[in-house]
Amino acid sequence: MPKPSFDPSPSGSRRHALHTLGLAAAALSPWSAFSQTSNLPIDQVKIICGFPAGGTADTTSRRVGDKLAGSAYARHAAVVENKTGAGGRIAIEAVKNAAPDGSTLLLSAYSMLLIYPHIYRTLPYDPFKDFAPVAMASVLSHGLAVGPMVPGSVKSVKDFVAWCKANPERASYASPAAGSTPHFLGALLSLNTGVTMTHVPYRGSVPGVTDVIGGQIAAMFTPHGDFLANHRAGKLRILATSGKSRSPFVPEVATFAEQGLAGLTVEEWFGFFAPAKTPASVVAAANSAINQSLKDKSLIDSLALQGLLPVGGSSDEMAKDMRRQYDYWGPVVKRIGFTAES
C-alpha cells in the first residue's frame, strides 16, 4: 500500500509548523497587506464545525477562533457553531452555501472532503470547486482503544485481534462517522489480520468514547486525543496509535507499525475552508490570522491536551496536500470495498 504523502510525525510536525509559520509571518504583515480591502476586518466570523463540542475538531475550532480577535481578519473572537450529523456533511454543505465574504469558515478533518468523494456516489459538494482552502490548523494520530468489555489481559493489537476471534459476538468497534479515517483504520485492521469486526458509526468521537467506557461497545478508532484523559484515568486503554512515530502524548503506547501493521500508518489534519469565490485578499487575511494564532503558547498547550500539534502554512500548500490525500485514499477505499450503499 502506498504511504500517505502528508507526513507530520511528532518531530516533523513541529519542524514543519515552525518553518511554515515563519514563512507566513515573513510574507504577510498583520495589517498592511489587507488595508485596501474595505470589508476587513470582519466584525463577526463564524466557524462551522461538523462534530460535537468537546472533541478534537471542536477544540481546534474554538482555540483558533478565540485568537482571531483583533487581527486584520476579524475584530472579535470567532463564534463556533456545531452542526453535527451525516458524518460532518451537514456542516460542509452549510459553508458551501454561505456568503463568500469570509464571515463563515468550515473547520473539518480532511477525510470529510477528500475521502467521502470515493465512497458516495453523489455528494452535495465538490471539495475542489466549492471551497477555498485557507490553512491547515492541527494534525493528529488516530488510536485504537478498548474499554471494560475487553479483559485487562488485552494489552496489544495482537491481543485484541485474538480476543475478537474468540468472542465474535462482541467483536465490534466504534468510529466518529461512517466513511471517516478511523472507520477505515478498523476496516484495514480487519482485512490485514483476518478478524471480523462489526463497525458502529457514531455522531462524533465523544458519544462513542462514552459507550466504550460504559462497556456498551468493545473498542473505538478515533483521534487518540479523544482518549487521553480517560486513558490516563484508567477508564479505557489505548492499544496503538497511527503515527509514523509514537505520540508525544502517550509515548508508552506502541504504534501500529511497531506492532506489525504498517498499513495502518495515517496522520490526519484539520483545516479551515472558506466558500468558493471568497476574495483572495480575504483568504490571505484569514490565513495570516490563523498562522499567527498557531504561534500562541496557550493555544499550543490547549491543543496538546487533545493530542493535537499545530501545523499552519500557506493556502497553496494546503491545496496541494488536498490533492495528494484525495489521490492516496482512492485506492485504499477501493481495496476496503466500502461505499455509502454498503
Side-chain angles (χ1 to χ4, degrees), residues 118-140:
H118 298 298
I119 64 175
Y120 288 93
R121 193 167 296 171
T122 59
L123 274 176
Y125 57 84
D126 183 306
F128 300 104
K129 294 179 180 178
D130 293 331
F131 301 95
V134 177
M136 289 188 280
S138 60
V139 66
L140 57 87

Side-chain angles (χ1 to χ4, degrees), residues 82-150:
N82 300 89
K83 283 187 173 291
T84 63
R89 284 176 288 141
I90 291 173
I92 294 171
E93 191 168 4
V95 175
K96 170 193 169 181
N97 295 324
D101 58 5
S103 63
T104 304
L105 297 179
L106 170 72
L107 185 283
S108 179
Y110 73 57
S111 54
M112 284 71 215
L113 289 111
L114 306 175
I115 299 180
Y116 281 6
H118 298 298
I119 64 175
Y120 288 93
R121 193 167 296 171
T122 59
L123 274 176
Y125 57 84
D126 183 306
F128 300 104
K129 294 179 180 178
D130 293 331
F131 301 95
V134 177
M136 289 188 280
S138 60
V139 66
L140 57 87
S141 294
H142 294 286
L144 165 63
V146 296
M149 182 185 292
V150 180

Side-chain angles (χ1 to χ4, degrees), residues 323-340:
R323 180 57 66 179
R324 285 193 292 266
Q325 297 297 346
Y326 176 86
D327 291 342
Y328 166 74
W329 279 102
V332 175
V333 172
K334 185 174 182 180
R335 180 185 173 219
I336 291 169
F338 176 81
T339 68

Side-chain angles (χ1 to χ4, degrees), residues 31 34 37-44 70-76:
W31 289 95
F34 317 113
T37 305
S38 60
N39 65 327
L40 291 175
I42 295 167
D43 188 61
Q44 185 63 72
S71 67
Y73 170 55
R75 287 192 176 90
H76 306 290

Side-chain angles (χ1 to χ4, degrees), residues 182-245:
H183 170 195
F184 289 142
L185 285 173
L188 287 171
L189 178 63
S190 180
L191 283 172
N192 292 346
T193 62
V195 64
T196 299
M197 296 185 294
T198 301
H199 171 235
V200 183
Y202 281 75
R203 292 180 63 163
S205 298
V206 175
V209 171
T210 299
D211 278 1
V212 172
I213 294 169
Q216 279 77 49
I217 190 166
M220 185 171 194
F221 284 86
T222 206
H224 81 296
D226 290 326
F227 296 135
L228 291 179
N230 289 297
H231 172 76
R232 291 164 181 162
K235 295 180 180 180
L236 52 69
R237 308 186 305 282
I238 303 176
L239 302 183
T241 55
S242 70
K244 285 184 173 291
S245 302

